[in-house]
Amino acid sequence: MRLFVNGEEHALAVPAQRTLLEALRYDLGLTGSKQGCDKGDCGACTVLAHERGGKGRGEAILSCITLAQDAQDLEITTIEGLAGPQGLDPVQRAFADCGALQCGFCQPGMMLSARALLDKNPRPTLPQIQEALSGNLCRCTGYTKIYEAVQVAAGLREPARRAPVPSERAAPSDSKAQVVKEIVP
């Protein structure tokens, strides 16, 4: 079979049940797309796809529930192919500038979903951003910085410049060693 990924055509010999995610990660070594739930729930495996010869980078699809053989007629863009010769994609730059990278596991899928949204709608509203990223789960914290990054990439705002919140020193605890009492059931 043949896959067209990040502007290059690859010939692969893979079993019929091989998913696109497995072909990308284990046959082509493109590990940016993450293997999370393996059932299309978390969005960590998101890639962009469109018919060969089509315009743009396409729409976000879940590579963990797409068979590799079904992707033979598509042009696939992974996170490794998002940056151009001039450097990072504005979405990637905005995620870095806004501190939205967090642990990094869900970020490739988030960025590709955001890129698909901005290619289709360059000036989305916050609810449109939330809807577009609703299939991408972040296990770290929240989505505030991620939504902010998409708005920054769209040119709708500047990255927030907040001073870090200082943590308060904990009150001294009773540091005196205690004798362990016998526990009797």
Side-chain angles (χ1 to χ4, degrees), residues 28-115:
L28 298 179
L30 298 171
T31 57
S33 300
K34 303 302 181 203
Q35 190 164 13
C37 67
D38 276 335
K39 56 184 181 175
D41 286 343
C42 73
C45 66
T46 302
V47 297
L48 301 179
H50 66 86
E51 296 291 324
R52 282 194 190 195
K55 289 177 54 178
R57 287 173 273 220
E59 48 185 87
I61 66 166
L62 300 169
S63 63
C64 76
I65 56 171
T66 303
L67 289 175
Q69 63 183 356
D70 291 343
Q72 292 186 86
D73 295 328
L74 302 175
E75 290 184 27
I76 305 296
T77 301
T78 67
I79 193 68
E80 290 90 346
L82 189 58
Q86 66 280 3
L88 295 177
D89 184 270
V91 170
Q92 293 171 306
R93 172 59 39 217
F95 270 68
D97 291 347
C98 294
L101 296 173
Q102 303 173 143
C103 84
F105 188 81
C106 68
Q107 299 316 309
M110 292 272 188
M111 287 186 226
L112 290 169
S113 290
R115 171 48 53 210

Side-chain angles (χ1 to χ4, degrees), residues 1-3 5 10-14 18 20 23-24 27-28 68 72:
M1 68 170 296
R2 297 191 175 278
L3 288 178
V5 181
H10 303 271
L12 304 171
V14 299
R18 190 82 149 173
L20 176 58
L24 293 171
D27 298 312
L28 298 179
Q72 292 186 86

Side-chain angles (χ1 to χ4, degrees), residues 125-142:
T125 64
L126 181 57
Q128 290 170 325
I129 294 169
Q130 293 168 331
E131 173 67 23
L133 299 184
S134 64
N136 297 86
L137 301 179
C138 172
R139 295 165 178 89
C140 291
T141 56

